Amino acid sequence: MLEQYYIWCLAVVTIWLQVHVVSARDLRIVTEPKTPQSCTALKATSGDETKNIQNALDSCTRGKAVELSSGTFYSGPLTIPSGVSLLVGSGATLKALPDPTLYDLASKTCGTQDQYGVGCKAFITMHGATGSGIYGKGTIDGQGGEEMTGKNEAWWKMPANTNAKVNVRNAPRLIQINDSIDIILYQITLKNSPLYHIATSETYGLTVWGITIDTPSSAPNTDGVDPMGSQNVTIAHCSISTGDDNVAIKAITAPSRHISVLNNHFGTGHGMSIGSEITYGASDITVSGLTLDGTTNGLRIKSNTFRGGLVTGVTYSDVCMRSVKNPILLNMEYGSNIVGNLTPEFRNITFTNVKVLTSGTFTFDGLSDSKPIEATMKDVHIKKGSKWISKHAKISGTWAEDATGRVCGTTGNE
Ligand SMILES: *[C@@H]1O[C@H](CO)[C@@H](O)[C@H](O)[C@H]1NC(C)=O
Ligand SMILES: *[C@@H]1O[C@H](CO)[C@@H](O)[C@H](O)[C@H]1NC(C)=O
Ligand SMILES: *[C@@H]1O[C@H](CO)[C@@H](O)[C@H](O)[C@H]1NC(C)=O
């Protein structure tokens, strides 16, 4: 009896700890995903494979995956139905055909620049899906650097519209996941997206585990993983090198909260970002075990009075950086010419066990002393010769210019 009582007490304490101590993260218990069984295995032919793959996806049993088993598959846009997954095997590559007409959303702007940049659908879409995913050790290649069909330019290099005041590229995102539940991306390699690699909107339960993103640093707007208005998100054991934010958490249409970014490695890119669109608020975010090697920014929260909102309950721990220009950049004046009346607030931001092995600029750029940036530092070690800029910011705790060592480990610790 007594033993049962102790076990019961232990269970209560454990649950209490999970609720109260780790609430700044994905509330689900997330473990390494398992690849589903295949409903069919396809081999590549040399033609346009869109119809074959889409038909296989549409007729696949829920809980199973359409396997691309070997060869190079060329395809236009695909939709992954609810409950079904796509599995790209280790010998297979899925390439996005670079023909803008295939992705055009009826305005004939895909493949051109205009003021809006919303003229193309994504290469792979999930919409209203539950339990779908993308798996496998193969590659999905967006071919952003290839010449577009019927044009002399690549997606990344399309010419500016001389009539428009603002030029935004209309190019497909690689993977767009909207209004979905329990989505998994596992092991897959993504490269050369024409625009963002993975973007979600109002998706609850997203696990991105052990994937690789490998795109040149010169490729514009090629964000790695962008959870937007999404909750219960885990991004773990990934390696991300790209040409824009490695990860960017945004809140344009709904709040983003309960997000864990665990044990990842970032190569080139614009860093671990929150913002700039945070109108609905971003909170309860843990970034732990992160190495940044050669990103332009490290830990960044960016917004402005046009896209502002509340960012709170963010903890960064066990982070190691090398060759990062702006290791910490908290900025409320991002894109200084964009102004409105949505004042950003950054509160309860904690940095614990952060090592920065090369000198850089640390910026805390708030907007007013009535609502300063509030951050806490514990065990923060930076390189001698670094620059520290603090405006309308309340920084508690201490940091020291005593970082030593030349290389980071793979997951944040030396
Ligand atoms: C997040 O996960 C927790 C634990 O599984 C669950 O109770 C909660 O409803 C989830 N939140 C959303 C928005 O789905
Ligand atoms: C996905 O959601 C975004 C809003 O975040 C919207 O702009 C886009 O059109 C949606 N795409 C689809 C395919 O529903
Ligand atoms: C600060 O955020 C943490 C989560 O990171 C949360 O547990 C804590 O309650 C917050 N503190 C305040 C004063 O809001």
Side-chain angles (χ1 to χ4, degrees):
M1 272 315 275
L2 200 60
E3 200 173 297
Q4 272 180 356
Y5 175 75
Y6 282 129
I7 290 171
W8 182 82
C9 284
L10 193 66
V12 168
V13 168
T14 307
I15 289 165
W16 185 87
L17 282 174
Q18 279 172 355
V19 171
H20 290 265
V21 177
V22 296
S23 62
R25 50 176 67 217
D26 190 338
L27 295 175
R28 303 171 304 155
I29 293 163
V30 178
T31 54
E32 181 163 4
K34 288 193 179 68
T35 305
Q37 286 184 329
S38 306
C39 55
T40 183
L42 306 178
K43 285 205 170 75
T45 63
S46 53
D48 176 349
E49 219 93 45
T50 316
K51 282 214 177 77
N52 291 346
I53 301 171
Q54 191 61 57
N55 287 343
L57 287 166
D58 292 341
S59 50
C60 187
T61 318
R62 280 175 177 237
K64 294 197 173 175
V66 169
E67 179 181 353
L68 308 184
S69 61
S70 63
T72 300
F73 294 78
Y74 291 90
S75 177
L78 296 166
T79 300
I80 299 183
S82 190
V84 171
S85 294
L86 178 67
L87 164 54
V88 185
S90 57
T93 299
L94 172 61
K95 291 193 177 186
L97 287 165
D99 181 350
T101 61
L102 298 174
Y103 305 87
D104 197 78
L105 282 169
S107 57
K108 297 206 167 83
T109 54
C110 190
T112 69
Q113 298 205 50
D114 66 9
Q115 281 167 275
Y116 312 106
V118 294
C120 310
K121 66 176 94 159
F123 179 45
I124 297 175
T125 300
M126 297 182 207
H127 193 175
T130 298
S132 299
I134 301 177
Y135 297 82
K137 292 182 176 166
T139 299
I140 300 176
D141 183 343
Q143 302 217 89
E146 296 298 313
E147 204 168 276
M148 291 182 276
T149 308
K151 315 231 172 192
N152 298 323
E153 299 287 350
W155 292 114
W156 292 335
K157 299 233 169 92
M158 65 180 70
N161 178 347
T162 44
N163 299 322
K165 282 204 196 88
V166 186
N167 279 292
V168 187
R169 288 180 310 120
N170 288 283
R173 296 176 179 184
L174 199 62
I175 300 169
Q176 179 73 45
I177 303 164
N178 282 23
D179 309 313
S180 294
I181 295 170
D182 294 335
I183 303 300
I184 294 176
L185 305 185
Y186 181 51
Q187 290 184 326
I188 192 84
T189 293
L190 307 177
K191 58 203 275 189
N192 304 329
S193 178
L195 208 68
Y196 303 170
H197 288 80
I198 301 168
T200 71
S201 174
E202 298 183 39
T203 288
Y204 304 124
L206 171 75
T207 304
V208 181
W209 187 296
I211 75 157
T212 301
I213 295 178
D214 181 15
T215 291
S217 61
S218 57
N221 312 114
T222 50
D223 289 25
V225 187
D226 286 8
M228 307 192 198
S230 294
Q231 300 185 33
N232 286 342
V233 175
T234 292
I235 301 166
H237 306 287
C238 299
S239 172
I240 303 177
S241 293
T242 191
D244 205 323
D245 293 318
N246 302 68
V247 168
I249 297 166
K250 298 169 191 271
I252 307 170
T253 63
S256 274
R257 58 171 84 111
H258 300 301
I259 297 179
S260 302
V261 182
L262 308 174
N263 303 318
N264 296 288
H265 182 276
F266 293 175
T268 61
H270 297 181
M272 173 63 234
S273 301
I274 299 174
S276 60
E277 302 91 334
I278 50 155
T279 316
Y280 283 80
S283 65
D284 305 298
I285 297 166
T286 290
V287 175
S288 180
L290 176 63
T291 293
L292 299 115
D293 196 350
T295 50
T296 53
N297 310 295
L299 308 174
R300 171 159 77 149
I301 306 177
K302 52 176 169 168
S303 194
N304 55 45
T305 57
F306 188 66
R307 298 159 164 181
L310 175 62
V311 178
T312 188
V314 181
T315 70
Y316 301 100
S317 63
D318 306 326
V319 177
C320 182
M321 297 186 223
R322 192 178 75 147
S323 305
V324 174
K325 257 181 262 157
N326 300 293
I328 297 178
L329 177 52
L330 271 48
N331 176 9
M332 294 185 176
E333 296 181 285
Y334 177 73
S336 56
N337 54 342
I338 325 174
V339 290
N341 52 15
L342 300 171
T343 307
E345 272 184 75
F346 301 168
R347 278 194 264 127
N348 195 5
I349 317 292
T350 308
F351 299 88
T352 307
N353 186 25
V354 174
K355 290 194 193 79
V356 185
L357 304 181
T358 48
S359 61
T361 302
F362 293 74
T363 305
F364 300 82
D365 182 9
L367 281 177
S368 79
D369 280 336
S370 59
K371 279 179 185 169
I373 292 175
E374 290 177 20
T376 305
M377 307 263 159
K378 295 176 198 156
D379 207 7
V380 172
H381 304 276
I382 71 173
K383 189 78 180 171
K384 232 190 165 91
S386 291
K387 206 166 140 193
W388 196 276
I389 301 165
S390 177
K391 211 174 85 187
H392 308 301
K394 227 168 74 187
I395 305 167
S396 37
T398 54
W399 59 94
E401 283 198 333
D402 62 355
T404 56
R406 288 183 34 225
V407 288
C408 295
T410 47
T411 54
N413 298 303
E414 259 179 273

